[in-house]
Amino acid sequence: MKQRVLTAVIALIIFIPLVIIGGVPFEILSILLGLIGLSEIYIMRKKLLVSPEAGLGVLASLALMVPQGWLSFLPSTSTRYTLFYFFVLLLLVYTVFTRNRFSFDDAAVLTLGIIYTSVGFRFLISARETGISMIFYLLLTVWATDTGAYMVGRKFGKNKLAPHISPNKTWEGSIGGVIVALIVGIIFNLYFPQKFSLVPMIFISLILAVVAQLGDLVESALKRYYGVKDSGKILPGHGGILDRFDSLLFVLPFAHFMGLF
């Protein structure tokens, strides 16, 4: 428990100031987090981090994550998605040269992993570009959901939510997480109004709290499939980057789709 708390404190001491600073430092942090998250998928898949497929995966990931200004070398007819698809095609070509040692299935899993991690962290950058209150609203929504679900589930949880994927999660905890997220969202929007008025933001907070838990369950299903307890070991007591950002990787795209940023 002490290690878990210490890791959380150190991580927040590094993360929060960079969120406040924004700009290039935060962009670099987000890109690094995305690449680490991708490497965790490689490791779970039992793929080498130093290999041609890993190199192509990193390039494809960078194509999706880096700020648009970093891609000014591209022809006017091309976009980040064109560049991403080019590297995906190279992954498919690589299956030929390896005689299927690196298979189509491997390429498919890594491509989905790249989209899952890279687009999510790209939206993290976009949310911060929108404004500091926006990124903190989304972060607090995720943290409130996670904390509320844990505390309520620990005290009142009886009915399992998804025992085949995450045995410790309960319906009581899930509902508690949503309620805490709603309370935090209402208070935050009273002091720091977002793009929409309070009533729509209440509904948005409700949706994001549910989505945050779906993101958590998806990552739990991924770990269960590969037979691992944690996605990585970079955060002692907490696991890997995907373990900590799984909810946010779902919340950010949904927030974007709903027009928050």
Side-chain angles (χ1 to χ4, degrees):
M1 186 65 180
K2 289 182 179 179
Q3 185 183 56
R4 185 179 177 87
V5 172
L6 180 61
T7 299
V9 170
I10 294 174
L12 288 174
I13 289 174
I14 296 172
F15 183 70
I16 296 300
L18 289 175
V19 172
I20 295 171
I21 293 169
V24 175
F26 184 70
E27 291 169 352
I28 292 174
L29 173 66
S30 299
I31 291 169
L32 288 175
L33 291 174
L35 292 178
I36 295 171
L38 178 60
S39 73
E40 291 174 355
I41 293 178
Y42 272 73
I43 293 171
M44 283 190 280
R45 184 71 178 174
K46 293 182 170 55
K47 293 296 177 183
L48 295 174
L49 294 182
V50 181
S51 61
E53 60 264 35
L56 289 172
V58 167
L59 292 173
S61 180
L62 289 173
L64 293 178
M65 283 194 294
V66 299
Q68 189 61 44
W70 296 18
L71 300 174
S72 58
F73 64 88
L74 291 175
S76 59
T77 55
S78 298
T79 66
R80 67 172 69 248
Y81 305 107
T82 310
L83 186 60
F84 163 72
Y85 187 57
F86 171 75
F87 290 122
V88 171
L89 290 179
L90 290 182
L91 276 174
L92 294 177
V93 170
Y94 186 60
T95 65
V96 176
F97 286 96
T98 62
R99 298 180 181 180
N100 273 332
R101 178 189 60 79
F102 177 78
S103 67
F104 189 90
D105 287 350
D106 291 325
V109 169
L110 296 183
T111 299
L112 184 58
I114 292 165
I115 295 172
Y116 169 52
T117 56
S118 304
V119 174
F121 282 105
R122 172 62 226 170
F123 279 132
L124 182 63
I125 295 173
S126 298
R128 179 59 187 87
E129 289 172 345
T130 301
I132 193 168
S133 67
M134 171 56 63
I135 188 67
F136 272 114
Y137 164 68
L138 296 173
L139 289 171
L140 286 173
T141 297
V142 170
W143 293 341
T145 303
D146 185 52
T147 303
Y150 174 76
M151 298 300 292
V152 174
R154 187 177 181 182
K155 189 171 182 61
F156 301 105
K158 292 181 180 179
N159 299 289
K160 299 297 184 182
L161 177 63
H164 58 295
I165 293 175
S166 187
N168 294 326
K169 290 182 172 60
T170 63
W171 280 103
E172 292 83 359
S174 177
I175 294 170
V178 171
I179 293 173
V180 173
L182 283 176
I183 294 171
V184 170
I186 290 171
I187 295 173
F188 188 88
N189 278 273
L190 286 174
Y191 288 94
F192 304 98
Q194 297 303 307
K195 186 176 181 179
F196 304 112
S197 60
L198 182 60
V199 173
M201 287 305 300
I202 291 174
F203 284 102
I204 289 174
S205 293
L206 171 64
I207 294 171
L208 293 183
V210 173
V211 168
Q213 296 183 60
L214 289 175
D216 192 327
L217 288 172
V218 166
E219 202 252 349
S220 294
L222 176 66
K223 291 187 294 185
R224 180 59 63 98
Y225 178 77
Y226 284 114
V228 297
K229 182 178 181 295
D230 298 316
S231 67
K233 300 178 180 178
I234 194 171
L235 300 171
H238 291 264
I241 293 301
L242 294 182
D243 291 316
R244 291 300 91 206
F245 286 86
D246 50 5
S247 297
L248 197 61
L249 289 177
F250 267 57
V251 164
L252 287 163
F254 270 83
H256 177 73
F257 295 153
M258 287 187 289
L260 283 182
F261 62 90

